[in-house]
Short mmCIF file of all heavy atoms in Angstrom, two decimals:
data_model
loop_
_atom_site.label_atom_id
_atom_site.label_comp_id
_atom_site.label_asym_id
_atom_site.label_seq_id
_atom_site.Cartn_x
_atom_site.Cartn_y
_atom_site.Cartn_z
N ASN A 617 19.57 2.94 1.01
CA ASN A 617 20.19 1.76 1.54
C ASN A 617 19.16 0.69 1.85
O ASN A 617 19.31 -0.48 1.51
CB ASN A 617 20.88 2.17 2.88
CG ASN A 617 22.05 1.32 3.15
OD1 ASN A 617 22.00 0.10 2.93
ND2 ASN A 617 23.15 1.94 3.64
N TYR A 618 18.04 1.12 2.47
CA TYR A 618 16.94 0.15 2.73
C TYR A 618 16.33 -0.39 1.41
O TYR A 618 15.98 -1.56 1.35
CB TYR A 618 15.85 0.82 3.60
CG TYR A 618 16.18 0.87 5.09
CD1 TYR A 618 16.33 2.09 5.69
CD2 TYR A 618 16.28 -0.32 5.80
CE1 TYR A 618 16.66 2.14 7.06
CE2 TYR A 618 16.56 -0.25 7.16
CZ TYR A 618 16.77 0.97 7.79
OH TYR A 618 17.06 1.01 9.10
N MET A 619 16.28 0.48 0.43
CA MET A 619 15.72 0.02 -0.86
C MET A 619 16.57 -1.14 -1.40
O MET A 619 16.04 -2.16 -1.86
CB MET A 619 15.69 1.16 -1.90
CG MET A 619 14.69 2.25 -1.57
SD MET A 619 14.58 3.50 -2.87
CE MET A 619 14.52 5.00 -1.92
N GLU A 620 17.90 -0.95 -1.29
CA GLU A 620 18.81 -1.98 -1.74
C GLU A 620 18.62 -3.29 -0.90
O GLU A 620 18.59 -4.38 -1.47
CB GLU A 620 20.23 -1.43 -1.60
CG GLU A 620 21.36 -2.33 -2.16
CD GLU A 620 21.18 -2.64 -3.64
OE1 GLU A 620 20.62 -1.77 -4.35
OE2 GLU A 620 21.59 -3.77 -4.04
N ARG A 621 18.41 -3.11 0.38
CA ARG A 621 18.26 -4.30 1.25
C ARG A 621 16.98 -5.02 0.93
O ARG A 621 16.92 -6.26 0.96
CB ARG A 621 18.36 -3.90 2.72
CG ARG A 621 19.78 -3.58 3.15
CD ARG A 621 19.91 -2.61 4.25
NE ARG A 621 19.84 -3.25 5.57
CZ ARG A 621 19.97 -2.56 6.71
NH1 ARG A 621 20.16 -1.26 6.69
NH2 ARG A 621 19.90 -3.21 7.83
N VAL A 622 15.90 -4.28 0.67
CA VAL A 622 14.63 -4.95 0.30
C VAL A 622 14.84 -5.70 -1.02
O VAL A 622 14.41 -6.85 -1.15
CB VAL A 622 13.47 -3.92 0.18
CG1 VAL A 622 12.24 -4.59 -0.39
CG2 VAL A 622 13.17 -3.31 1.52
N ARG A 623 15.50 -5.06 -1.93
CA ARG A 623 15.76 -5.67 -3.26
C ARG A 623 16.48 -7.02 -3.07
O ARG A 623 16.10 -8.02 -3.68
CB ARG A 623 16.61 -4.71 -4.10
CG ARG A 623 16.78 -5.11 -5.54
CD ARG A 623 17.85 -4.19 -6.16
NE ARG A 623 17.28 -3.07 -6.84
CZ ARG A 623 16.77 -3.13 -8.06
NH1 ARG A 623 16.75 -4.26 -8.75
NH2 ARG A 623 16.26 -2.06 -8.66
N LEU A 624 17.49 -7.05 -2.20
CA LEU A 624 18.23 -8.27 -1.97
C LEU A 624 17.40 -9.35 -1.28
O LEU A 624 17.43 -10.51 -1.61
CB LEU A 624 19.50 -8.00 -1.13
CG LEU A 624 20.58 -7.19 -1.84
CD1 LEU A 624 21.69 -6.80 -0.86
CD2 LEU A 624 21.16 -7.98 -3.02
N LEU A 625 16.57 -8.85 -0.34
CA LEU A 625 15.72 -9.77 0.41
C LEU A 625 14.67 -10.41 -0.48
O LEU A 625 14.35 -11.60 -0.34
CB LEU A 625 14.97 -8.92 1.47
CG LEU A 625 14.66 -9.51 2.82
CD1 LEU A 625 15.93 -10.01 3.50
CD2 LEU A 625 13.97 -8.49 3.71
N LEU A 626 14.15 -9.63 -1.44
CA LEU A 626 13.14 -10.20 -2.32
C LEU A 626 13.73 -11.16 -3.33
O LEU A 626 13.05 -12.06 -3.82
CB LEU A 626 12.40 -9.06 -3.10
CG LEU A 626 11.55 -8.10 -2.22
CD1 LEU A 626 10.97 -7.01 -3.08
CD2 LEU A 626 10.41 -8.87 -1.54
N GLY A 627 14.99 -10.98 -3.66
CA GLY A 627 15.66 -11.87 -4.58
C GLY A 627 15.17 -11.71 -6.00
O GLY A 627 14.51 -10.76 -6.34
N SER A 628 15.47 -12.72 -6.84
CA SER A 628 15.09 -12.59 -8.26
C SER A 628 13.66 -13.03 -8.45
O SER A 628 13.01 -13.49 -7.50
CB SER A 628 16.03 -13.43 -9.12
OG SER A 628 15.99 -14.78 -8.65
#
Side-chain angles (χ1 to χ4, degrees):
N617 208 320
Y618 280 115
M619 291 185 223
E620 185 58 31
R621 284 152 89 177
V622 172
R623 188 189 265 280
L624 291 173
L625 215 58
L626 293 176
S628 58

